[in-house]
Amino acid sequence: MNRKVFYFLLCLLPVFSAEAQVSFGDAEKMNNGWKFILKDEPKIKDLDFDDSKLKTVQLPHDWSVEGISSSSLASATGYLPGGIAWYRKRLNVDEVRGKEKTYLYFEGIYNRSEVYVNGQSVGKRPNGYISFLYDITPYIKYGVDNIIAVRVDHSRSADSRWYTGSGIYRDVYLIRSNPVHIDCWGVFCYADVIDKKNAIFNVRIDMKNEAVSDAAVKVKLNLLNPQGKKVAETSYDMKIKAFGEISSLKTLKVKNPVLWGLNHPN
């Protein structure tokens, strides 16, 4: 059994990243080259569908803003039309890398979406605001073109108190990861006791094992200050059963913490 090591650098700096808001794996943004049709056309999910005449769009995309406003339409879309539409993309994933898993991560689709990979439905999501992740490992073919199709049903457009738009209105990512990884949004940190001399910093880690065998991992936590200097650290071992999940809660003690304030937002 191989031991896998996970490092967490918990840094008190504002972070601006082009990567997905997930806590594991290698994320690749896939916003370009989507085909689009404002019509309920189920054949789009088929491998042999001719998409050459479809409109090409770049995500994030909102089809409502391209429509014609009318006082008879819902205020939730700015009196613009909703409807049903499809998105389609060709995706070539390079060779299999060991027992790696492949996921699609959508930051937001408004709304009532269903995602297909090579003609197979991989999941539905009625909520238009929440982000979600699908494991597409059983459906993907490596080294050749795959067809990703997304049906979006915003025909019941009077469903919000503010403007929602319609379509895949946030980024989409392809994520490749070891079967043993941090769970989606699996890192949570909060301060418990703070004064000018001491601080207790709690870190919860949710781990997931999607492999057929048990896994032993070592987790290392490093807490960095705004200057990048390590101010606290700890490490510990975990065992995760096959297809299991496990959580841990550890504390980091910080001496003489630099506190947050309105004039000095550390």
Side-chain angles (χ1 to χ4, degrees):
M1 184 186 306
N2 293 328
R3 170 173 290 186
K4 299 174 175 61
V5 181
F6 294 84
Y7 294 90
F8 301 93
L9 300 180
L10 304 172
C11 182
L12 302 182
L13 281 171
V15 176
F16 301 93
S17 174
E19 296 185 357
Q21 299 173 1
V22 292
S23 307
F24 69 96
D26 298 323
E28 177 185 352
K29 189 179 290 186
M30 43 178 291
N31 285 355
N32 297 325
W34 288 82
K35 298 290 187 175
F36 172 78
I37 184 172
L38 185 51
K39 176 183 177 183
D40 193 5
E41 180 55 83
K43 292 183 179 180
I44 285 182
K45 67 179 182 295
D46 298 338
L47 298 178
D48 58 355
F49 181 83
D50 182 8
D51 61 11
S52 60
K53 296 182 180 180
L54 297 185
K55 179 181 179 181
T56 300
V57 298
Q58 178 175 332
L59 306 183
H61 178 252
D62 170 14
W63 79 69
S64 287
V65 297
E66 301 173 354
I68 299 175
S69 62
S70 170
S71 59
S72 64
L73 298 175
S75 60
T77 55
Y79 304 101
L80 294 167
I84 299 175
W86 283 81
Y87 294 84
R88 174 183 167 99
K89 180 176 176 63
R90 296 181 184 274
L91 176 65
N92 193 304
V93 183
D94 59 17
E95 76 280 355
V96 181
R97 300 187 299 199
K99 297 181 180 180
E100 189 177 57
K101 305 278 284 185
T102 304
Y103 306 85
L104 279 178
Y105 177 68
F106 294 85
E107 289 191 340
I109 301 177
Y110 209 90
N111 58 351
R112 291 185 291 278
S113 65
E114 184 169 8
V115 177
Y116 297 83
V117 177
N118 294 328
Q120 299 295 312
S121 175
V122 299
K124 298 180 179 180
R125 182 66 59 171
N127 189 292
Y129 294 112
I130 195 170
S131 301
F132 55 93
L133 179 97
Y134 292 135
D135 179 2
I136 63 171
T137 310
Y139 312 97
I140 207 79
K141 297 179 180 179
Y142 296 91
V144 298
D145 280 350
N146 296 269
I147 297 300
I148 310 298
V150 181
R151 183 181 188 267
V152 184
D153 181 0
H154 195 201
S155 57
R156 291 173 284 176
S157 57
D159 55 6
S160 180
R161 293 183 178 182
W162 51 81
Y163 182 81
T164 63
S166 304
I168 308 178
Y169 68 98
R170 290 180 180 168
D171 296 330
V172 178
Y173 293 86
L174 180 74
I175 298 173
R176 304 186 70 174
S177 168
N178 192 289
V180 182
H181 57 80
I182 313 165
D183 201 0
C184 190
W185 311 298
V187 180
F188 179 66
C189 313
Y190 64 97
D192 191 16
V193 178
I194 290 183
D195 58 40
K196 292 184 178 180
K197 293 184 178 181
N198 298 282
I200 301 296
F201 195 70
N202 300 284
V203 184
R204 172 173 167 158
I205 306 294
D206 299 329
M207 298 292 298
K208 195 169 188 176
N209 181 5
E210 297 184 278
V212 297
S213 58
D214 297 352
V217 302
K218 177 179 285 293
V219 180
K220 294 186 176 182
L221 303 177
N222 291 331
L223 179 64
L224 310 181
N225 68 9
Q227 289 72 44
K229 180 182 178 181
K230 183 165 59 180
V231 296
E233 64 179 331
T234 189
S235 64
Y236 55 96
D237 297 320
M238 300 176 68
K239 291 184 178 180
I240 316 173
K241 291 186 177 298
F243 300 108
E245 301 178 13
I246 191 171
S247 297
S248 64
L249 181 63
K250 298 297 180 180
T251 59
L252 298 172
K253 296 182 179 180
V254 181
K255 294 292 185 181
N256 302 314
V258 181
L259 303 183
W260 188 94
L262 289 175
N263 296 324
H264 302 284
N266 297 290

